[in-house]
Amino acid sequence: KDTELFHFNSKALRQLIKTQTHGTIAPNDKLHAMGRMPYTNTYRLDSQNSDCACCTTDDVPPWDPSFDCSLEKPTFSAILSALVADELKSSGMDLYGWDLEWGPENWGDDCPSCTLTTAENLADQVIELSTADACKDQFEAHSYQRNYAFCDSAAHLGKVNILTHDFLFEDGPRGQGATTNLPKLRDFILLMKSKGFEFKTL
């Protein structure tokens, strides 16, 4: 059922884009062929197959002291999302997760967007994660399905897939994101370009 809804929502989104753009879809449109699982860090690519044990929750948020999850005891929603991901991949879709989330340091804070790390700290994390050893360490720490060969491949080396969130860069109920974080985003882009990195969308 969840797999069917994924395809249904993808089609609905494409139709919404057509409506808003007077029937025009971007030449690089890949909504029919690629996606991201909500809330969880799941990859289903020819080069990578991995799932996060504790990215999703069943009853309480991850920052709650009572949150109980480990690689040996993944959440039920993590197990379910892996099954949905398998179905989607078998239907021809590529699924992307993330190597690094640029999100609040404290999601439970009254102002979560105020806890976004600095451009310099993020740059250090990206540079470290672009190596094979750090990639393997991340698999070891978070994924109960591990593909260590991916870490040594050209598909990974020197590349980092970053996830972030729109609200972190908006002034609104969850904080002054545009005021405090857009300068961080600008500084991060300039810093990484100065180190030879390029920015690309999927």
Side-chain angles (χ1 to χ4, degrees), residues 3 30 73 83 98 108 116 171-172:
T3 306
K30 297 179 181 177
K73 185 183 176 183
L83 295 174
W98 62 90
L116 195 68
D171 288 344

Side-chain angles (χ1 to χ4, degrees), residues 3 5-7 9-11 13-14 28-45 48 50 81 84-86 88-89 91-98 161 163 202:
T3 306
L5 284 173
F6 199 99
H7 288 301
N9 289 331
S10 295
K11 291 178 181 178
L13 179 57
R14 292 184 87 249
N28 64 344
D29 167 46
K30 297 179 181 177
L31 278 171
H32 64 288
M34 63 183 293
R36 181 176 81 82
M37 298 289 291
Y39 300 104
T40 192
N41 191 1
T42 294
Y43 278 93
R44 288 296 184 276
L45 306 172
Q48 183 180 4
S50 63
S81 68
V84 174
D86 288 340
L88 289 169
K89 180 59 178 173
S91 72
M93 291 197 75
D94 286 339
L95 299 178
Y96 287 83
W98 62 90
N161 187 11
L163 169 71
L202 293 175

Side-chain angles (χ1 to χ4, degrees), residues 4 69 114 139 151:
E4 294 174 2
C69 180
C114 300
F139 273 137
C151 297

Side-chain angles (χ1 to χ4, degrees), residues 118-165:
T118 65
E120 292 76 16
N121 285 342
L122 181 64
D124 288 342
Q125 293 177 55
V126 168
I127 292 169
E128 180 181 3
L129 275 174
S130 65
T131 66
D133 287 344
C135 171
K136 292 172 184 177
D137 289 343
Q138 183 152 291
F139 273 137
E140 191 72 29
H142 301 292
S143 180
Y144 63 93
Q145 292 193 48
R146 300 163 187 167
N147 179 11
Y148 294 118
F150 166 77
C151 297
D152 294 309
S153 71
H156 166 71
L157 292 175
K159 304 178 181 71
V160 175
N161 187 11
I162 301 175
L163 169 71
T164 192
H165 309 276

Side-chain angles (χ1 to χ4, degrees), residues 69-90:
C69 180
S70 66
L71 293 178
E72 294 72 28
K73 185 183 176 183
T75 61
F76 174 75
S77 54
I79 297 172
L80 181 61
S81 68
L83 295 174
V84 174
D86 288 340
E87 289 288 330
L88 289 169
K89 180 59 178 173
S90 67

Side-chain angles (χ1 to χ4, degrees), residues 13-62:
L13 179 57
R14 292 184 87 249
Q15 186 56 50
L16 177 62
I17 293 173
K18 283 185 176 181
T19 301
Q20 297 294 324
T21 58
H22 307 288
T24 302
I25 290 287
N28 64 344
D29 167 46
K30 297 179 181 177
L31 278 171
H32 64 288
M34 63 183 293
R36 181 176 81 82
M37 298 289 291
Y39 300 104
T40 192
N41 191 1
T42 294
Y43 278 93
R44 288 296 184 276
L45 306 172
D46 294 339
S47 60
Q48 183 180 4
N49 184 321
S50 63
D51 297 288
C52 180
C54 304
C55 288
T56 61
T57 67
D58 299 328
D59 302 307
V60 296

